[in-house]
Amino acid sequence: MINNQTKTNGFILSLVSLGLNTFACLISCIVFLIIVYHLYYNHVKREDKITVVLCAHIYLAILIYSSMLSSMSIRSMLGYLASVMLAMLYMTFVNQAFYRLIRIVYSQNRWFQSLKLYIILPIIEIIVVTSILLCILIPLNGVTYFPNDYFCYPIYTNIPGILSAAVVAYIGPFCCLLFIYLHITRFIHQQGNTQTLVVKQRQVRDLLIIRRILIIVSFLLILGIPAMTFIFMFIITGEEYPVLGRIVFLPVSVSEAGLSIALLFSIPQLKNIVLKLRIIRKVMPANQIVQGTVQVRTIISIQ
């Protein structure tokens, strides 16, 4: 039986999660629009375009997933789609890692460095991931309605369903990330002193970026610890905590909000775009004043 204190705790957790998800949506939307603006007006260097496009994919995934978490009142459909978008959030990081692997280790292969490939790749991935998750969750009845929380999501007490979804959406992409970045790090260290100074400087920069991204991905790993803890507690005790879903979503919301800010400081190309926008805003009024002064002087000289 759920008492008043439990209901109050659940309401507070949902309120905090809603605030964090709204913040993540706002930041992600702003950054995504900034990226699109810079790509449309060709304010991004040619060699940085793929990195910026991959960043746009990450922020778009954060925006969609945070929006879904904020609008769980649309019951059953978002239960499946939220699982898909969680998997796609990890896959966007896998795509970025794959691009760095090609650019650093297999730089001779130009086809895998094509901008069109990384625009089409998320569409292919979302079709594949959706098909796999639906084939797993529907037969196992993995998504169900939470009567105490008023939304649908993969049920944590359905052990085969939740573990299968976790492998596809959580463990699999994380293992791919770990393998790719370990391979890149090993390749850079094996190069030693055989490279030119320019290549060495680029490799040092790539290694620094990889370390920052791995720190961010480690926070994504922490995202799933509360859910796994409660699953093991349920297996041992057989008792389900009344507001389990809301407790699990709280660290997810924290990670989404923190991720939208951390990426701005960890990826130089993205940081430069935001800084350029700030500089443009400062320079534009000054240019308008100068142009106005020139026009006045021209009119006076004509008269």
Side-chain angles (χ1 to χ4, degrees):
M1 187 69 180
I2 301 176
N3 54 32
N4 292 332
Q5 183 63 41
T6 303
K7 291 181 179 179
T8 303
N9 294 338
F11 174 78
I12 293 173
L13 289 170
S14 297
L15 189 64
V16 174
S17 297
L18 178 61
L20 292 169
N21 285 322
T22 303
F23 175 78
C25 286
L26 181 63
I27 297 296
S28 303
C29 182
I30 293 173
V31 176
F32 179 76
L33 292 177
I34 291 173
I35 292 174
V36 172
Y37 170 84
H38 279 267
L39 288 173
Y40 183 79
Y41 288 101
N42 294 321
H43 292 164
V44 181
K45 295 180 181 179
R46 185 174 182 180
E47 61 269 22
D48 293 336
K49 278 190 176 181
I50 295 178
T51 300
V52 173
V53 168
L54 292 172
C55 291
H57 292 163
I58 294 173
Y59 274 96
L60 183 60
I62 294 175
L63 175 62
I64 296 174
Y65 186 60
S66 299
S67 300
M68 287 180 176
L69 290 179
S70 301
S71 54
M72 278 295 184
S73 56
I74 304 175
R75 303 284 188 253
S76 58
M77 201 59 193
L78 284 183
Y80 292 101
L81 290 179
S83 302
V84 172
M85 289 314 303
L86 178 61
M88 285 306 301
L89 175 59
Y90 280 97
M91 290 306 299
T92 54
F93 282 97
V94 173
N95 292 344
Q96 191 175 65
F98 177 73
Y99 168 64
R100 293 190 181 277
L101 176 67
I102 297 298
R103 189 170 67 86
I104 297 173
V105 183
Y106 306 104
S107 57
Q108 297 83 4
N109 196 325
R110 296 295 179 183
W111 189 84
F112 283 103
Q113 299 182 46
S114 170
L115 180 62
K116 293 181 180 179
L117 172 64
Y118 293 96
I119 294 176
I120 298 173
L121 190 59
I123 301 174
I124 299 173
E125 289 172 345
I126 197 168
I127 294 173
V128 174
V129 170
T130 302
S131 302
I132 294 173
L133 284 174
L134 290 180
C135 290
I136 292 174
L137 293 175
I138 292 177
L140 294 176
N141 195 24
V143 175
T144 189
Y145 179 73
F146 285 70
N148 299 328
D149 299 311
Y150 309 106
F151 60 78
C152 287
Y153 204 74
I155 184 169
Y156 299 101
T157 55
N158 186 339
I159 305 302
I162 195 63
L163 290 181
S164 300
V167 169
V168 175
Y170 179 67
I171 299 174
F174 182 80
C175 290
C176 290
L177 274 172
L178 189 61
F179 173 79
I180 291 174
Y181 280 129
L182 285 176
H183 185 64
I184 293 174
T185 305
R186 182 181 177 185
F187 174 81
I188 292 176
H189 285 300
Q190 284 179 345
Q191 294 301 302
N193 299 322
T194 60
Q195 300 293 337
T196 62
L197 180 60
V198 176
V199 175
K200 284 182 182 179
Q201 290 176 345
R202 189 181 69 181
Q203 288 181 346
V204 170
R205 185 188 65 179
D206 288 332
L207 196 58
L208 179 61
I209 296 172
I210 288 171
R211 288 173 181 171
R212 291 175 180 174
I213 294 177
L214 283 177
I215 293 174
I216 294 174
V217 172
S218 66
F219 282 110
L220 289 176
L221 177 63
I222 296 172
L223 176 153
I225 292 178
M228 298 304 296
T229 302
F230 280 105
I231 290 173
F232 285 119
M233 288 176 60
F234 171 77
I235 294 174
I236 295 172
T237 63
E239 296 181 2
E240 180 185 359
Y241 195 71
V243 289
L244 173 61
R246 303 186 190 187
I247 292 174
V248 170
F249 284 137
L250 182 60
V252 175
S253 303
V254 173
S255 299
E256 294 286 318
L259 186 62
S260 60
I261 295 296
L263 285 171
L264 290 175
F265 299 96
S266 61
I267 300 177
Q269 293 89 345
L270 192 59
K271 186 177 180 180
N272 291 336
I273 287 178
V274 177
L275 291 177
K276 282 182 181 179
L277 184 65
R278 183 180 177 184
I279 292 172
I280 290 172
R281 287 183 176 178
K282 289 183 178 180
V283 172
M284 283 298 292
N287 289 341
Q288 292 174 359
I289 293 172
V290 172
Q291 291 174 1
T293 305
V294 172
Q295 290 176 359
V296 171
R297 289 179 179 176
T298 304
I299 294 171
I300 293 172
S301 62
I302 293 173
Q303 292 177 348

